[in-house]
Amino acid sequence: MGKLEGKVAFITGAARGQGRSHAVRLAEEGADIIAVDICAPIRSMNYPNASPEDLAQTVKEVEALDRRIIARQGDVRLREQLRGVLDEGLAAFGHVDIVLANAGICPGRDDTLCEGFIDATDVDLIGAMNTVAVALPHLTAGASIVVTGSTAGMMKGTTEVMGSTGGVGYSWAKQTVIRYVEVLALQLAPHMIRMNGVHPTNCDTDLLHNVDVYRAFRRDLENPTREDVIDYLPLMQAMPIPYVDPRDISNLMAFLASDESRYITGLNIRVDAGAMLKTPPTG
Ligand SMILES: NC(=O)c1ccc[n+]([C@@H]2O[C@H](COP(=O)([O-])OP(=O)(O)OC[C@H]3O[C@@H](n4cnc5c(N)ncnc54)[C@H](O)[C@@H]3O)[C@@H](O)[C@H]2O)c1
């Protein structure tokens, strides 16, 4: 018996990266999955979002574990689209017990005024809140919600930067997620529903491996490549590694989703190889 046997998880941004890893890890523990991902570009991003083929790969990997999955394209910015996907999942599986608000972007382009800021906050903050909002009416005692933040939301100075506004929107959204989790967790606690935040450092996905993030590590280069930054990425963490793996985050998700963590709520937990030990946190 896996520790999530009989449970159903609703996961956003599930076509690749951490979202896919969470779907597979939770399925390994016995959960069925309702997966949603935009699988389409957002104009202010300098790296591509996942593709429909990526989402199909998630389906393949979950089904290979003999678990059921409903996977649909949908945009977390649009509450009705999210509700539509969740309703399909509910029709198929009957209930939802775990919510992982994981979808996120870090846009690097401002073709119109503060376009990157708007898109980052729409996806990373409003999108997470939309995910929780559509799921809440269906959650009962024992349910667990986890919102993915970032150590970027814990570091001082990440919102006081000039230039492209997407990274600032990203940091502010992730900063705001911290209080959102604490405030809503208190309201949910009497109902025996838990809510926590998970905050990764550099993680080995497309959100990290793109020129905008690379430029933050190599301001001296206009178009830094992976080779240009690989020796610089470990500077972020206290442990001498360039990044964590998606699976490192998924292991915590599986624990927080399970009854093993039944009295853990309102926490914001870092998976950061000691990164924040090196950086004075915000507030
Ligand atoms: N990779 C890192 O270094 C890192 C560090 C800290 C936090 N995070 C956070 O981890 C989470 C997962 O990101 P990842 O690292 O797997 O990156 P990723 O880019 O591989 O995955 C993000 C997924 O979200 C999807 N998505 C984007 N916009 C969407 C929308 N509007 N609606 C639905 N889906 C959408 C993308 O298509 C993609 O599949 C994000 O919240 C991100 O901010 C990542």
Side-chain angles (χ1 to χ4, degrees), residues 131-171:
T131 306
V132 174
V134 299
L136 274 180
H138 305 284
L139 299 182
T140 55
S144 174
I145 302 167
V146 187
V147 181
T148 301
S150 169
T151 51
M154 297 177 156
M155 288 170 188
K156 228 179 188 147
T158 48
T159 51
E160 287 76 34
V161 178
M162 306 285 281
S164 107
T165 65
V168 173
Y170 182 87
S171 299

mmCIF file of all heavy atoms in Angstrom, residues 131-171:
data_model
loop_
_atom_site.group_PDB
_atom_site.id
_atom_site.type_symbol
_atom_site.label_atom_id
_atom_site.label_comp_id
_atom_site.label_asym_id
_atom_site.label_seq_id
_atom_site.Cartn_x
_atom_site.Cartn_y
_atom_site.Cartn_z
ATOM 1 N N THR A 131 -6.496 28.184 -8.358
ATOM 2 C CA THR A 131 -6.429 26.722 -8.194
ATOM 3 C C THR A 131 -7.064 26.321 -6.865
ATOM 4 O O THR A 131 -7.874 25.392 -6.795
ATOM 5 C CB THR A 131 -4.954 26.257 -8.236
ATOM 6 O OG1 THR A 131 -4.362 26.747 -9.444
ATOM 7 C CG2 THR A 131 -4.843 24.748 -8.168
ATOM 8 N N VAL A 132 -6.682 27.041 -5.838
ATOM 9 C CA VAL A 132 -7.236 26.755 -4.508
ATOM 10 C C VAL A 132 -8.732 27.071 -4.494
ATOM 11 O O VAL A 132 -9.539 26.291 -3.965
ATOM 12 C CB VAL A 132 -6.481 27.567 -3.429
ATOM 13 C CG1 VAL A 132 -7.134 27.407 -2.065
ATOM 14 C CG2 VAL A 132 -5.014 27.138 -3.383
ATOM 15 N N ALA A 133 -9.107 28.177 -5.117
ATOM 16 C CA ALA A 133 -10.515 28.613 -5.088
ATOM 17 C C ALA A 133 -11.440 27.581 -5.726
ATOM 18 O O ALA A 133 -12.514 27.297 -5.195
ATOM 19 C CB ALA A 133 -10.655 29.957 -5.801
ATOM 20 N N VAL A 134 -11.029 26.997 -6.857
ATOM 21 C CA VAL A 134 -11.943 26.045 -7.510
ATOM 22 C C VAL A 134 -11.985 24.718 -6.766
ATOM 23 O O VAL A 134 -12.983 23.996 -6.814
ATOM 24 C CB VAL A 134 -11.607 25.809 -9.009
ATOM 25 C CG1 VAL A 134 -11.707 27.113 -9.783
ATOM 26 C CG2 VAL A 134 -10.263 25.156 -9.217
ATOM 27 N N ALA A 135 -10.904 24.405 -6.046
ATOM 28 C CA ALA A 135 -10.845 23.110 -5.350
ATOM 29 C C ALA A 135 -11.574 23.145 -4.003
ATOM 30 O O ALA A 135 -12.172 22.146 -3.586
ATOM 31 C CB ALA A 135 -9.390 22.689 -5.152
ATOM 32 N N LEU A 136 -11.522 24.294 -3.320
ATOM 33 C CA LEU A 136 -12.022 24.369 -1.938
ATOM 34 C C LEU A 136 -13.434 23.806 -1.730
ATOM 35 O O LEU A 136 -13.657 23.066 -0.769
ATOM 36 C CB LEU A 136 -11.963 25.812 -1.418
ATOM 37 C CG LEU A 136 -10.635 26.240 -0.801
ATOM 38 C CD1 LEU A 136 -10.722 27.694 -0.318
ATOM 39 C CD2 LEU A 136 -10.227 25.324 0.358
ATOM 40 N N PRO A 137 -14.387 24.108 -2.613
ATOM 41 C CA PRO A 137 -15.751 23.592 -2.354
ATOM 42 C C PRO A 137 -15.817 22.071 -2.316
ATOM 43 O O PRO A 137 -16.797 21.513 -1.825
ATOM 44 C CB PRO A 137 -16.559 24.136 -3.545
ATOM 45 C CG PRO A 137 -15.767 25.252 -4.109
ATOM 46 C CD PRO A 137 -14.331 24.965 -3.805
ATOM 47 N N HIS A 138 -14.775 21.403 -2.832
ATOM 48 C CA HIS A 138 -14.807 19.937 -2.917
ATOM 49 C C HIS A 138 -13.945 19.267 -1.852
ATOM 50 O O HIS A 138 -13.897 18.040 -1.772
ATOM 51 C CB HIS A 138 -14.325 19.502 -4.310
ATOM 52 C CG HIS A 138 -15.103 20.146 -5.418
ATOM 53 N ND1 HIS A 138 -16.370 19.747 -5.764
ATOM 54 C CD2 HIS A 138 -14.802 21.198 -6.221
ATOM 55 C CE1 HIS A 138 -16.819 20.510 -6.741
ATOM 56 N NE2 HIS A 138 -15.883 21.402 -7.043
ATOM 57 N N LEU A 139 -13.241 20.057 -1.051
ATOM 58 C CA LEU A 139 -12.308 19.463 -0.089
ATOM 59 C C LEU A 139 -13.025 19.147 1.228
ATOM 60 O O LEU A 139 -13.888 19.894 1.675
ATOM 61 C CB LEU A 139 -11.132 20.412 0.170
ATOM 62 C CG LEU A 139 -10.277 20.747 -1.055
ATOM 63 C CD1 LEU A 139 -9.107 21.656 -0.665
ATOM 64 C CD2 LEU A 139 -9.765 19.491 -1.750
ATOM 65 N N THR A 140 -12.611 18.051 1.833
ATOM 66 C CA THR A 140 -13.190 17.650 3.120
ATOM 67 C C THR A 140 -12.047 17.370 4.102
ATOM 68 O O THR A 140 -10.867 17.422 3.723
ATOM 69 C CB THR A 140 -14.063 16.389 2.957
ATOM 70 O OG1 THR A 140 -13.260 15.375 2.348
ATOM 71 C CG2 THR A 140 -15.279 16.647 2.084
ATOM 72 N N ALA A 141 -12.406 17.041 5.343
ATOM 73 C CA ALA A 141 -11.411 16.784 6.390
ATOM 74 C C ALA A 141 -10.351 15.801 5.890
ATOM 75 O O ALA A 141 -10.679 14.787 5.269
ATOM 76 C CB ALA A 141 -12.101 16.224 7.623
ATOM 77 N N GLY A 142 -9.076 16.132 6.134
ATOM 78 C CA GLY A 142 -7.976 15.275 5.688
ATOM 79 C C GLY A 142 -7.325 15.763 4.406
ATOM 80 O O GLY A 142 -6.251 15.286 4.026
ATOM 81 N N ALA A 143 -7.972 16.726 3.734
ATOM 82 C CA ALA A 143 -7.405 17.226 2.472
ATOM 83 C C ALA A 143 -6.146 18.048 2.741
ATOM 84 O O ALA A 143 -5.954 18.595 3.830
ATOM 85 C CB ALA A 143 -8.437 18.076 1.745
ATOM 86 N N SER A 144 -5.288 18.119 1.722
ATOM 87 C CA SER A 144 -4.018 18.841 1.850
ATOM 88 C C SER A 144 -3.761 19.685 0.604
ATOM 89 O O SER A 144 -3.843 19.189 -0.516
ATOM 90 C CB SER A 144 -2.872 17.831 2.039
ATOM 91 O OG SER A 144 -1.630 18.492 2.036
ATOM 92 N N ILE A 145 -3.455 20.954 0.841
ATOM 93 C CA ILE A 145 -3.144 21.890 -0.250
ATOM 94 C C ILE A 145 -1.676 22.281 -0.115
ATOM 95 O O ILE A 145 -1.218 22.584 0.990
ATOM 96 C CB ILE A 145 -3.993 23.181 -0.133
ATOM 97 C CG1 ILE A 145 -5.484 22.855 -0.147
ATOM 98 C CG2 ILE A 145 -3.621 24.181 -1.208
ATOM 99 C CD1 ILE A 145 -6.366 24.031 0.280
ATOM 100 N N VAL A 146 -0.939 22.287 -1.226
ATOM 101 C CA VAL A 146 0.429 22.803 -1.193
ATOM 102 C C VAL A 146 0.607 23.799 -2.341
ATOM 103 O O VAL A 146 0.300 23.487 -3.496
ATOM 104 C CB VAL A 146 1.492 21.689 -1.325
ATOM 105 C CG1 VAL A 146 2.887 22.282 -1.105
ATOM 106 C CG2 VAL A 146 1.236 20.558 -0.343
ATOM 107 N N VAL A 147 1.101 24.975 -2.008
ATOM 108 C CA VAL A 147 1.385 25.993 -3.015
ATOM 109 C C VAL A 147 2.901 26.064 -3.189
ATOM 110 O O VAL A 147 3.645 26.093 -2.199
ATOM 111 C CB VAL A 147 0.842 27.375 -2.581
ATOM 112 C CG1 VAL A 147 1.134 28.415 -3.651
ATOM 113 C CG2 VAL A 147 -0.648 27.300 -2.295
ATOM 114 N N THR A 148 3.339 26.088 -4.439
ATOM 115 C CA THR A 148 4.778 26.199 -4.698
ATOM 116 C C THR A 148 5.185 27.661 -4.752
ATOM 117 O O THR A 148 4.671 28.425 -5.573
ATOM 118 C CB THR A 148 5.153 25.497 -6.020
ATOM 119 O OG1 THR A 148 4.778 24.122 -5.916
ATOM 120 C CG2 THR A 148 6.649 25.597 -6.279
ATOM 121 N N GLY A 149 6.066 28.042 -3.859
ATOM 122 C CA GLY A 149 6.644 29.382 -3.882
ATOM 123 C C GLY A 149 8.036 29.314 -4.466
ATOM 124 O O GLY A 149 8.293 28.598 -5.435
ATOM 125 N N SER A 150 8.968 30.027 -3.824
ATOM 126 C CA SER A 150 10.362 30.019 -4.284
ATOM 127 C C SER A 150 11.204 30.727 -3.227
ATOM 128 O O SER A 150 10.710 31.638 -2.558
ATOM 129 C CB SER A 150 10.492 30.766 -5.602
ATOM 130 O OG SER A 150 11.855 30.980 -5.919
ATOM 131 N N THR A 151 12.461 30.341 -3.125
ATOM 132 C CA THR A 151 13.347 31.111 -2.252
ATOM 133 C C THR A 151 13.494 32.550 -2.767
ATOM 134 O O THR A 151 13.832 33.447 -2.001
ATOM 135 C CB THR A 151 14.735 30.451 -2.130
ATOM 136 O OG1 THR A 151 15.227 30.189 -3.441
ATOM 137 C CG2 THR A 151 14.687 29.177 -1.318
ATOM 138 N N ALA A 152 13.177 32.760 -4.058
ATOM 139 C CA ALA A 152 13.219 34.134 -4.605
ATOM 140 C C ALA A 152 12.264 35.047 -3.841
ATOM 141 O O ALA A 152 12.474 36.257 -3.760
ATOM 142 C CB ALA A 152 12.875 34.124 -6.089
ATOM 143 N N GLY A 153 11.200 34.464 -3.289
ATOM 144 C CA GLY A 153 10.235 35.251 -2.519
ATOM 145 C C GLY A 153 10.670 35.470 -1.080
ATOM 146 O O GLY A 153 9.997 36.153 -0.323
ATOM 147 N N MET A 154 11.793 34.862 -0.694
ATOM 148 C CA MET A 154 12.275 34.992 0.683
ATOM 149 C C MET A 154 13.516 35.878 0.764
ATOM 150 O O MET A 154 13.952 36.226 1.852
ATOM 151 C CB MET A 154 12.615 33.601 1.233
ATOM 152 C CG MET A 154 11.409 32.691 1.304
ATOM 153 S SD MET A 154 11.875 31.038 1.866
ATOM 154 C CE MET A 154 10.322 30.460 2.529
ATOM 155 N N MET A 155 14.100 36.165 -0.382
ATOM 156 C CA MET A 155 15.358 36.928 -0.374
ATOM 157 C C MET A 155 15.107 38.422 -0.404
ATOM 158 O O MET A 155 14.224 38.895 -1.121
ATOM 159 C CB MET A 155 16.186 36.559 -1.606
ATOM 160 C CG MET A 155 16.771 35.187 -1.513
ATOM 161 S SD MET A 155 17.465 34.757 -3.101
ATOM 162 C CE MET A 155 17.849 33.055 -2.799
ATOM 163 N N LYS A 156 15.922 39.123 0.337
ATOM 164 C CA LYS A 156 15.844 40.584 0.377
ATOM 165 C C LYS A 156 16.262 41.145 -0.991
ATOM 166 O O LYS A 156 17.193 40.641 -1.607
ATOM 167 C CB LYS A 156 16.813 41.099 1.439
ATOM 168 C CG LYS A 156 16.191 42.091 2.356
ATOM 169 C CD LYS A 156 17.171 42.548 3.408
ATOM 170 C CE LYS A 156 16.430 43.388 4.404
ATOM 171 N NZ LYS A 156 16.936 43.260 5.735
ATOM 172 N N GLY A 157 15.568 42.172 -1.436
ATOM 173 C CA GLY A 157 16.029 42.914 -2.609
ATOM 174 C C GLY A 157 15.537 42.399 -3.946
ATOM 175 O O GLY A 157 15.763 43.048 -4.968
ATOM 176 N N THR A 158 14.830 41.262 -3.967
ATOM 177 C CA THR A 158 14.435 40.720 -5.268
ATOM 178 C C THR A 158 13.278 41.493 -5.908
ATOM 179 O O THR A 158 12.996 41.328 -7.085
ATOM 180 C CB THR A 158 14.035 39.225 -5.155
ATOM 181 O OG1 THR A 158 13.134 39.081 -4.055
ATOM 182 C CG2 THR A 158 15.239 38.328 -4.958
ATOM 183 N N THR A 159 12.607 42.346 -5.111
ATOM 184 C CA THR A 159 11.553 43.162 -5.726
ATOM 185 C C THR A 159 12.020 44.611 -5.955
ATOM 186 O O THR A 159 11.269 45.428 -6.465
ATOM 187 C CB THR A 159 10.283 43.187 -4.840
ATOM 188 O OG1 THR A 159 10.653 43.552 -3.513
ATOM 189 C CG2 THR A 159 9.607 41.834 -4.806
ATOM 190 N N GLU A 160 13.258 44.900 -5.565
ATOM 191 C CA GLU A 160 13.771 46.269 -5.721
ATOM 192 C C GLU A 160 14.804 46.308 -6.847
ATOM 193 O O GLU A 160 15.910 46.807 -6.694
ATOM 194 C CB GLU A 160 14.388 46.785 -4.420
ATOM 195 C CG GLU A 160 13.386 47.125 -3.336
ATOM 196 C CD GLU A 160 12.802 45.905 -2.634
ATOM 197 O OE1 GLU A 160 13.538 44.921 -2.476
ATOM 198 O OE2 GLU A 160 11.616 45.920 -2.272
ATOM 199 N N VAL A 161 14.426 45.746 -7.988
ATOM 200 C CA VAL A 161 15.345 45.655 -9.119
ATOM 201 C C VAL A 161 14.743 46.457 -10.259
ATOM 202 O O VAL A 161 13.537 46.483 -10.439
ATOM 203 C CB VAL A 161 15.489 44.169 -9.557
ATOM 204 C CG1 VAL A 161 16.399 44.041 -10.755
ATOM 205 C CG2 VAL A 161 15.994 43.321 -8.397
ATOM 206 N N MET A 162 15.600 47.125 -11.036
ATOM 207 C CA MET A 162 15.100 47.850 -12.210
ATOM 208 C C MET A 162 15.429 47.032 -13.448
ATOM 209 O O MET A 162 16.342 46.239 -13.446
ATOM 210 C CB MET A 162 15.778 49.221 -12.320
ATOM 211 C CG MET A 162 15.659 50.064 -11.076
ATOM 212 S SD MET A 162 14.023 50.756 -10.872
ATOM 213 C CE MET A 162 14.118 52.106 -12.028
ATOM 214 N N GLY A 163 14.682 47.257 -14.511
ATOM 215 C CA GLY A 163 14.960 46.529 -15.746
ATOM 216 C C GLY A 163 13.737 45.752 -16.147
ATOM 217 O O GLY A 163 12.624 46.258 -16.026
ATOM 218 N N SER A 164 13.929 44.508 -16.596
ATOM 219 C CA SER A 164 12.754 43.733 -17.005
ATOM 220 C C SER A 164 11.946 43.377 -15.753
ATOM 221 O O SER A 164 12.497 43.065 -14.690
ATOM 222 C CB SER A 164 13.178 42.503 -17.796
ATOM 223 O OG SER A 164 13.009 41.347 -17.029
ATOM 224 N N THR A 165 10.637 43.470 -15.877
ATOM 225 C CA THR A 165 9.793 43.453 -14.686
ATOM 226 C C THR A 165 9.279 42.057 -14.299
ATOM 227 O O THR A 165 8.679 41.890 -13.246
ATOM 228 C CB THR A 165 8.567 44.371 -14.884
ATOM 229 O OG1 THR A 165 7.752 43.828 -15.947
ATOM 230 C CG2 THR A 165 8.988 45.794 -15.226
ATOM 231 N N GLY A 166 9.504 41.059 -15.164
ATOM 232 C CA GLY A 166 8.971 39.719 -14.903
ATOM 233 C C GLY A 166 9.556 39.095 -13.647
ATOM 234 O O GLY A 166 8.842 38.475 -12.857
ATOM 235 N N GLY A 167 10.857 39.260 -13.453
ATOM 236 C CA GLY A 167 11.516 38.689 -12.277
ATOM 237 C C GLY A 167 11.025 39.348 -10.999
ATOM 238 O O GLY A 167 10.892 38.691 -9.956
ATOM 239 N N VAL A 168 10.743 40.652 -11.082
ATOM 240 C CA VAL A 168 10.214 41.373 -9.916
ATOM 241 C C VAL A 168 8.806 40.866 -9.599
ATOM 242 O O VAL A 168 8.476 40.575 -8.439
ATOM 243 C CB VAL A 168 10.200 42.898 -10.200
ATOM 244 C CG1 VAL A 168 9.489 43.646 -9.080
ATOM 245 C CG2 VAL A 168 11.621 43.408 -10.376
ATOM 246 N N GLY A 169 7.988 40.708 -10.636
ATOM 247 C CA GLY A 169 6.633 40.163 -10.446
ATOM 248 C C GLY A 169 6.699 38.760 -9.879
ATOM 249 O O GLY A 169 5.908 38.398 -8.991
ATOM 250 N N TYR A 170 7.628 37.988 -10.377
ATOM 251 C CA TYR A 170 7.823 36.613 -9.883
ATOM 252 C C TYR A 170 8.136 36.632 -8.389
ATOM 253 O O TYR A 170 7.498 35.935 -7.595
ATOM 254 C CB TYR A 170 8.983 35.971 -10.664
ATOM 255 C CG TYR A 170 9.291 34.529 -10.297
ATOM 256 C CD1 TYR A 170 8.615 33.480 -10.908
ATOM 257 C CD2 TYR A 170 10.276 34.214 -9.362
ATOM 258 C CE1 TYR A 170 8.897 32.161 -10.589
ATOM 259 C CE2 TYR A 170 10.562 32.905 -9.035
ATOM 260 C CZ TYR A 170 9.878 31.876 -9.644
ATOM 261 O OH TYR A 170 10.163 30.568 -9.320
ATOM 262 N N SER A 171 9.102 37.444 -7.994
ATOM 263 C CA SER A 171 9.518 37.493 -6.584
ATOM 264 C C SER A 171 8.394 37.995 -5.689
ATOM 265 O O SER A 171 8.162 37.461 -4.601
ATOM 266 C CB SER A 171 10.737 38.403 -6.418
ATOM 267 O OG SER A 171 11.805 37.890 -7.167
#
